[in-house]
Amino acid sequence: MAMLTDKVALVTGAGAGIGRATALKFAEEGARVVVADLNVAGGEETAELIRKQGGEAVFTRADVTDAAAVDALIRTAVDTYGRLDCACNNAGIEGAVVSFTDQSEDDYEAVMRVNAKGTFLCLRAEIRQMLQNGGGAIVNLASIAGLIGFTGLAPYVASKHAVNGLTKNAALEFGKQGIRVNSVCPGGIDTRMLDSLADQATGGAQSSRDMMAPLHPIGRIGRPEEVAELIVWLCSARASFVTGANVPVDGGYVAQ
């Protein structure tokens, strides 16, 4: 039986990678999906993929760093489907891979603006709407970089620790009002972002698979669909007693 029949789900950064896989999984589990991304072509493709598989989806272009745009995104969900039950705040950027002392203020601010501020703005707007609905479930995309450090990625690490902190705080504040908030912390996942990090770290000498697979005890990198499975489960009633958690989905990386 589908986990989210008749629910309405929102996914930011849904034009590719984990976001797209999550939007497709929400639809597979019976939800009507609001697909959001700055990348219009990618977002519209995700929405069309959902419709081709028999699901319901609407695409809207949204900049998660703009409070007015985020509020408009929530209005789109409510105007289109009448409510908002689930949300996955996935939009994020990686920034440059450089030494701490060589990190620029501009790069730091750009990464924090999308990953930390963007998650905050989405959480705030989603919670406001879910309070009107009588509850809901939200999953934020953090990273194993929100649990441990990574040389060369100071702004990204800081931003993902912030995501995990926002997750815990929102869960504490709104648990009694029927809103659960969790984060997932992926390890190396087969996405454009991982390819970009590998290219920067090795100067293009190694693929993301060659560089990252040996670092995971499970012996490989993950697939976006594997992260999506966890996200959608956390948004379902099957995870009704799970909130405030920062859950690794990392092939054992942080267990080392």
Side-chain angles (χ1 to χ4, degrees):
M1 182 177 178
M3 290 189 287
L4 295 169
T5 300
D6 296 328
K7 300 294 186 181
V8 177
L10 164 67
V11 184
T12 67
I18 292 171
R20 172 173 287 179
T22 300
L24 290 168
K25 184 62 180 176
F26 270 127
E28 180 185 328
E29 292 295 341
R32 292 167 288 173
V33 185
V34 180
V35 174
D37 206 300
L38 271 177
N39 180 344
V40 174
E44 288 183 338
E45 184 178 1
T46 298
E48 183 60 22
L49 285 169
I50 289 171
R51 289 189 287 266
K52 284 181 178 178
Q53 294 177 10
E56 290 186 55
V58 61
F59 168 71
T60 183
R61 184 182 184 276
D63 179 354
V64 299
T65 70
D66 182 331
V70 171
D71 290 341
L73 173 60
I74 303 305
R75 285 196 301 273
T76 295
V78 175
D79 290 347
T80 305
Y81 296 125
R83 57 188 294 114
L84 179 65
D85 301 292
C86 312
C88 173
N89 297 318
N90 167 72
I93 61 174
E94 68 273 20
V97 181
V98 296
S99 166
F100 198 112
T101 52
D102 293 328
Q103 290 281 356
S104 71
E105 289 182 51
D106 287 346
D107 193 57
Y108 177 85
E109 289 172 357
V111 172
M112 293 297 288
R113 185 169 59 250
V114 176
N115 297 356
K117 179 185 176 182
T119 298
F120 165 75
L121 292 176
C122 288
L123 270 172
R124 186 179 67 176
E126 291 153 3
I127 290 169
R128 286 171 174 170
Q129 180 57 45
M130 288 177 180
L131 288 171
Q132 297 180 44
N133 294 353
I138 302 170
V139 175
N140 299 316
L141 255 293
S143 166
I144 55 172
L147 302 172
I148 58 177
F150 279 89
T151 300
L153 285 172
Y156 185 75
V157 168
S159 73
K160 292 304 186 177
H161 274 72
V163 169
N164 280 334
L166 289 167
T167 298
K168 292 176 182 179
N169 221 74
L172 290 175
E173 289 195 39
F174 299 101
K176 289 185 175 65
Q177 291 156 283
I179 298 173
R180 294 185 299 104
V181 187
N182 295 288
S183 70
V184 298
C185 301
I189 307 297
D190 189 9
T191 61
R192 178 214 58 80
M193 182 181 288
L194 189 67
D195 289 338
S196 170
L197 292 171
D199 284 346
Q200 292 187 68
T202 70
Q206 282 186 293
S207 71
S208 57
R209 288 179 182 82
D210 290 341
M211 183 180 80
M212 293 297 295
L215 303 180
H216 296 72
I218 207 167
R220 63 174 175 85
I221 61 173
R223 301 186 303 275
E225 294 77 13
E226 292 175 302
V227 184
E229 290 280 353
L230 177 58
I231 292 167
V232 173
W233 179 81
L234 286 168
C235 284
S236 78
R238 298 179 190 180
S240 56
F241 200 54
V242 183
T243 195
N246 306 139
V247 187
V249 51
D250 66 350
Y253 193 106
V254 297
Q256 300 178 96

